[in-house]
Structures are given as C-alpha cells and as structure tokens.
Amino acid sequence: MQFEERALSFDCGGDCLFGVASVPAQPAARGVVVVVGGPQYRGGSHRQFTLLARHLAAQGIAVLRFDYRGMGDAEGEQRDFEMVHEDLRCAIDRFQAAVPAVREVVLWGLCDGASAALFYAPQDARVQGVVLLNPWVRTEGGLAKATLKHYYRERLLQPALWKKIFTGQFNYGAALRSFTGLLGAASGKAAPPAAAAEAAPTAAPSVSAAPVPRLADPDLPPLPGRLHDSLAAFQGKVLLILSGADLTAQEFRAAVAASRPWQRLLAAPRVTQQELAQADHTFSRRAWRDQVADWTGEWMRSW
C-alpha cells in the first residue's frame, strides 16, 4: 500500500515537540505510537523506528514516532521514562487529529520505552494494545544475577579472553573484585561494581522516586512490582518480544521466574509472546528487525 510521511509539531506543557507520521492511503482504525527509549530520538538505533514505521504503513497501519521533551528536536527539559505521560497523551492527541481514521492506538516500545508504554497504557482508553520489547526492570540485584548467569558464561567461550590469559594480559585482581562484588550484589549484601554496569548492553536510565501504589506481590522489587501492577491494571492486548542475547531481557525473564503473579499475567490469553534466540538488545540485524516488524503487523491484524 502507498503511504506518505508527514512532519508534525505539537505543544506539550508549553514546549514544542516534533514527530513524523507514516500514513497509508487508507489507514486502519488502529494505529501505532512508537515510545522511544532514552536517551534516544525518533529514528531509533540503526533507524529501527523509521524502518518499523514504514514497514507497518505499507501494510495499512499508520504510525507516529516522535521526540519527547528534551530529546531530539523537541524543546524542554530532558526527563526519564517515568515522566513522559503528558508527552504520550499530547502525541496521541496530535496523531488522531492528523489521521482521523485512527480511533485507537497501540504503544510500541523497546527497553525503558516498553516500560514507559506500560506505565501509561492503563490511563488512556484509546490505548488498546502494547508491544513490549525487552522491558526494562533493572534492579541492582537483578543486574548482578543476570550478569553472573549469562555474561560470565558467555565470556568463558570468547577467544579474546583466553588470549589475554595465555599472554599474561589478564587482570586477575580486577576480575576477582568484579566477581565477588557481583556475588554480594546478587545476594543483596552490596551494590554491584561498575563492571556490572559495563557488562550490560544499555546504560541505566534514571528512575523517578515518586511513590506509586502497589496492587499485588509486595515481595517484588519496586520497578518490577510496579510494572506488574500496570500490566494488571491494563486490560488490552499485549505482544511481548524478547531477545535471546540480551542482559535486559534476561533480567526480565528472571523477574518473571521469581514471581507467580507475573507468571499468571503473562499466561493470560490476551498476551502473545515471541522470542528471537540470537537477537541482541536492539534487534540490530535486518533479519531480526524485519521479523519484529512482521510479528507486530500480524499481531495487530489478529484482533
């Protein structure tokens, strides 16, 4: 299907925001708003969001990708993923005004963009679905456990490590300090060392300290618990896509494995789950990116 791309601007709290709408000749009633992760702009890593929007628009699905306040071309102060509710509401307003055929929306987000989408979704009746890729549920203990379980195991299989060992370039002291620090953080006895953050594929975004009421499972850490409660409050459709080669995805899996309420939520018929075993955090290869776009389009047409 033929489509056009329109530059949009709109006000949000007195600041001017900018976005691009990919609009098919005959838009479906259900459109997509891409919720970017931060710090990032509307194009996405390796043009991921741009290519996703065009892929879906060619299938008749209108898509808006835009910059939050303080990001990309947008005015205003930079804010974290828990502080973009007003930005999302204004973006949906502008999207529907520009494409009147769109009567309901799906929020599509990667990493903390997925978490931002899930926090916002229960508040807006226009949001009927969410696509969550490698949702951000980072805690100090969760990062340490994921690093110990996945990063070190993969590191042992890397030829570069053994080359360092055999040539005497391996720093045993630093490695031991990193490992013991991670063990302490995983057991809740200490904060993870800088090496843990360096092992992760994405930098940790700042997290708002604003209290949010908890609905269930008080034993969960704050961020995973609050995301659980947002998903419980949201009654729309969910597409969850996880990478196999990504620490953020592994942290999410671990949080779910440790929580029966999370497991019950994801087992509901309204939740569709997909996994790309070899994919990295941002689905950087064309085959991975295209598979994600295909899954998104098929899922949106299925309900």
Side-chain angles (χ1 to χ4, degrees):
M1 182 180 294
Q2 296 295 315
F3 65 90
E4 64 175 345
E5 293 192 311
R6 306 174 188 169
L8 304 179
S9 63
F10 52 97
D11 178 81
C12 181
D15 295 315
C16 188
L17 275 59
F18 297 90
V20 176
S22 300
V23 185
Q26 296 179 322
R30 182 177 300 132
V32 171
V33 173
V34 176
V35 185
V36 303
Q40 200 172 55
Y41 89 119
R42 62 184 180 270
S45 302
H46 45 83
R47 301 176 68 232
Q48 180 182 28
F49 304 151
T50 298
L51 297 171
L52 171 74
R54 292 172 180 174
H55 186 106
L56 295 177
Q59 301 177 31
I61 300 170
V63 181
L64 173 67
R65 47 192 176 86
F66 75 102
D67 295 330
Y68 297 143
R69 284 173 290 180
M71 297 290 186
D73 295 317
E75 299 176 346
E77 296 295 325
Q78 184 176 338
R79 58 209 64 232
D80 68 34
F81 71 100
E82 296 194 59
M83 305 291 288
V84 295
H85 288 58
E86 187 178 358
D87 304 66
L88 285 169
R89 188 176 305 279
C90 293
I92 295 172
D93 290 344
R94 184 68 179 95
F95 186 34
Q96 289 188 310
V99 191
V102 172
R103 295 191 293 274
E104 60 185 51
V105 300
V106 165
L107 299 180
W108 191 105
L110 167 69
C111 192
D112 57 323
S115 302
L118 195 50
F119 278 140
Y120 178 80
Q123 307 176 20
D124 192 330
R126 297 171 296 181
V127 179
Q128 293 295 301
V130 291
V131 182
L132 311 174
L133 289 81
N134 300 329
W136 179 268
V137 294
R138 175 134 314 161
T139 63
E140 292 182 348
L143 173 61
K145 291 176 183 177
T147 303
L148 286 168
K149 183 176 181 180
H150 301 283
Y151 173 76
Y152 279 97
R153 182 175 61 188
E154 295 173 1
R155 182 76 170 130
L156 289 172
L157 301 176
Q158 295 175 356
L161 171 65
W162 295 104
K163 182 178 180 180
K164 283 186 176 182
I165 291 174
F166 292 135
T167 58
Q169 299 177 5
F170 185 73
N171 189 331
Y172 290 93
L176 180 61
R177 288 192 297 273
S178 173
F179 186 74
T180 55
L182 285 167
L183 286 175
S187 64
K189 295 179 180 179
E198 293 172 1
T202 53
S206 57
V207 177
S208 169
V212 175
R214 293 291 301 280
L215 304 177
D217 201 0
D219 294 329
L220 277 171
L223 182 56
R226 288 166 46 231
L227 283 169
H228 163 275
D229 296 341
S230 290
L231 181 56
F234 177 61
Q235 297 303 304
K237 301 285 188 177
V238 179
L239 173 60
L240 173 65
I241 302 176
L242 298 177
S243 300
D246 175 45
L247 270 181
T248 300
Q250 300 295 359
E251 290 176 73
F252 179 80
R253 290 186 182 90
V256 171
S259 168
R260 289 188 180 276
W262 256 115
Q263 295 166 26
R264 286 194 293 269
L265 275 180
L266 295 184
R270 68 190 179 97
V271 178
T272 301
Q273 300 187 53
Q274 300 284 7
E275 179 171 340
L276 274 172
Q278 302 302 316
D280 56 22
H281 183 67
T282 60
F283 304 88
S284 61
R285 293 185 180 177
R286 179 176 180 176
W288 302 335
R289 185 184 66 236
D290 289 349
Q291 181 63 82
V292 167
D294 287 339
W295 278 338
T296 300
E298 292 166 3
W299 171 78
M300 289 189 64
R301 292 189 295 271
S302 71
W303 49 281

